[in-house]
Amino acid sequence: MTHPSDALIASLVGNLQPVKPLSFARGLGYALAAAAFSAIAVVVLFGIRPDVLAGRFDPVFLIATGLFLVLGIASVVTVIVMSRPQIGSDHGGWVWAAAMAALLPVAGLIVSFGGGSDIVSRDSIAHGLECLMVGCGASLLVFAMLVGWLRKGAPTAPDRAGLLTGIAAGSLGIFAFSLHCADNDIVHIGLWHSGVVILVAGLGRTLVPRLVRW
Amino acid sequence: MRADEATLARLMVMSQKGDKQAYATLLTECQRWLTRYYGRRVAPAQLDDLVQETLMALHNKLATWDSSRPFLPWMAAIARYRWVDHLRRLYRAKECALVPDFAGQDDEPAIAARISIDRLLSMLPDAQARAIELVRIEGLSIAEASQATGQSESLVKVNIHRGLKKLAHMVEKA
């Protein structure tokens, strides 16, 4: 007995070509390579922080860049996992990293309300905008790589995949720029560096879903 | 006889390498599985189209299966995604203006869409289902729905919002 799908199956079989399965390790490798390239580009174009170059590490710098790095990696891992559809996959690991990184803007707000920092001076705003723009620029390569990976894959939650692409790219972008930005003020980091993550996350959530629907 | 997970996974590995005979067997088994899966979720008239759409999706996304992971959850995820897409299209189609009546107009798609939507609404509390039906399907205003149901306008809005959120969650987790 012929089934309505028989002709389609015959056509699909006729068109079959060998495929190279999307590998988690390969996806992660590409993303980390893009992040490393971005960091190197920042260092080459803008220079590395003098204190880091001298081997002195400020605690706020270590904690902030560490949090952004962990959030970036956790989000990248989640995006790579999401590119391969699977019932029962757990995509929740990045939430804890995001909650930890969210302490930065919260701490920044608390300190700024306590008058602990000047955030409204022209210099402060200009410096902050520079961090925002260059941080976003440093996130572009990782963003493009993840979008390309998702288009090859089959994300079953494009909206969330877009958001996480933005979070991953923004976090790794500002991590890269933190290697240059010598400001250790928690208000500056909480406002402007976290602002990169929030801005690129919003862009990802808005732009990526239509690019990766299938 | 139904193919088991191990057999399907082996067929998939061979298909990814370009083995057409294995792929034909695999697609036939997938078509049977998808027919059973969608048989409980869509109107009969839409079944064949949805099965074929999903087979094409499987074909286009062959590379997204990893042999270290089970095959059936992968196929189920693709099937569920296509099902949600199908429901979205049905729902949007109901909001378009209907052409004027003419002899021979086919009402079956609208009826089939209604069957699918009714099945979903039956999973909600009565107040939420009624609010969604009156406002989003029959096109009443909030004020009219409030009069019809006896709920306040705020409650109608809350019931619609919660009901749609619950439906989206049920469909995502199905």
Side-chain angles (χ1 to χ4, degrees):
Chain A
M1 187 180 101
T2 58
H3 190 278
S5 302
D6 287 351
L8 174 66
I9 289 174
S11 167
L12 295 177
V13 169
N15 290 334
L16 177 68
Q17 298 291 329
V19 296
K20 189 175 179 184
L22 294 182
S23 130
F24 173 80
R26 193 154 43 95
L28 184 62
Y30 287 161
L32 293 179
F37 188 84
S38 300
I40 290 168
V42 164
V43 167
V44 165
L45 290 171
F46 300 98
I48 199 165
R49 294 169 57 122
D51 55 348
V52 168
L53 206 53
R56 293 190 313 272
F57 299 96
D58 184 89
V60 173
F61 161 73
L62 286 175
I63 290 170
T65 47
L67 283 172
F68 287 129
L69 180 63
V70 168
L71 177 58
I73 292 174
S75 304
V76 159
V77 165
T78 306
V79 171
I80 303 296
V81 168
M82 288 181 82
S83 69
R84 302 182 305 176
Q86 189 89 8
I87 295 280
S89 271
D90 178 14
H91 300 150
W94 66 276
V95 176
W96 292 105
M100 286 165 54
L103 291 174
L104 291 171
V106 168
L109 279 172
I110 292 172
V111 170
S112 73
F113 287 150
S117 183
D118 165 31
I119 56 168
V120 297
S121 72
R122 186 176 289 183
D123 286 345
S124 175
I125 292 175
H127 175 48
L129 285 173
E130 183 199 356
C131 287
L132 195 71
M133 284 192 310
V134 182
C136 289
S139 68
L140 286 178
L141 190 59
V142 173
F143 193 95
M145 179 267 146
L146 289 175
V147 170
W149 190 263
L150 285 171
R151 283 172 63 87
K152 275 194 217 174
T156 53
D159 294 346
R160 189 184 299 183
L163 174 69
L164 282 164
T165 297
I167 291 175
S171 303
L172 292 172
I174 197 57
F175 165 78
F177 191 66
S178 298
L179 298 176
H180 162 72
C181 176
D183 203 325
N184 296 321
D185 181 9
I186 188 63
V187 176
H188 170 82
I189 291 172
L191 179 64
W192 297 106
H193 289 205
S194 300
V196 169
V197 180
I198 293 167
L199 185 62
V200 183
L203 279 173
R205 175 62 182 81
T206 309
L207 298 175
V208 171
R210 66 193 75 181
L211 296 174
V212 305
R213 279 194 206 282
W214 49 281
Chain B
M1 191 181 83
R2 289 182 195 177
D4 60 3
E5 162 66 41
T7 305
L8 290 169
R10 268 199 304 275
L11 286 171
M12 183 61 168
V13 168
M14 293 160 70
S15 302
Q16 285 183 324
K17 290 177 182 162
D19 185 330
K20 294 189 177 184
Q21 199 168 354
Y23 191 44
T25 308
L26 177 70
L27 285 181
T28 304
E29 289 301 320
C30 290
Q31 173 255 300
R32 286 191 193 128
W33 189 94
L34 290 167
T35 303
R36 289 193 301 273
Y37 179 83
Y38 288 132
R40 297 188 293 273
R41 287 168 171 83
V42 298
Q46 296 161 353
L47 186 58
D48 288 334
D49 284 347
L50 194 48
V51 167
Q52 290 184 31
E53 265 181 47
T54 309
L55 287 175
M56 287 196 293
L58 292 176
H59 177 78
N60 291 330
K61 296 298 178 181
L62 269 182
T64 64
W65 180 70
D66 183 347
S67 58
S68 66
R69 309 180 90 182
F71 176 82
L72 283 170
W74 173 81
M75 184 170 61
I78 292 178
R80 184 177 73 184
Y81 179 78
R82 283 266 80 92
W83 175 50
V84 169
D85 215 36
H86 170 78
L87 290 176
R88 214 176 269 135
R89 272 181 280 142
L90 277 185
Y91 184 70
R92 282 196 188 125
K94 281 212 66 84
E95 290 174 351
C96 296
L98 294 175
V99 296
D101 284 341
F102 59 90
Q105 184 177 3
D106 181 13
D107 289 327
E108 193 185 354
I111 293 168
R114 185 64 201 230
I115 292 171
S116 298
I117 292 167
D118 281 347
R119 278 182 187 162
L120 285 173
L121 290 178
S122 68
M123 297 186 219
L124 293 179
D126 289 342
Q128 290 175 5
R130 189 82 183 117
I132 291 171
E133 193 173 359
L134 287 175
V135 175
R136 294 299 184 97
I137 297 175
E138 294 181 21
L140 269 60
S141 68
I142 298 289
E144 288 165 345
S146 167
Q147 279 185 344
T149 58
Q151 303 170 16
S152 69
E153 288 188 22
S154 308
L155 188 55
V156 168
K157 287 181 201 170
V158 164
N159 278 330
I160 290 171
H161 173 74
R162 284 183 183 164
L164 288 176
K165 204 170 164 185
K166 205 174 282 186
L167 280 180
H169 181 75
M170 278 193 282
V171 166
E172 286 292 327
K173 294 288 176 201

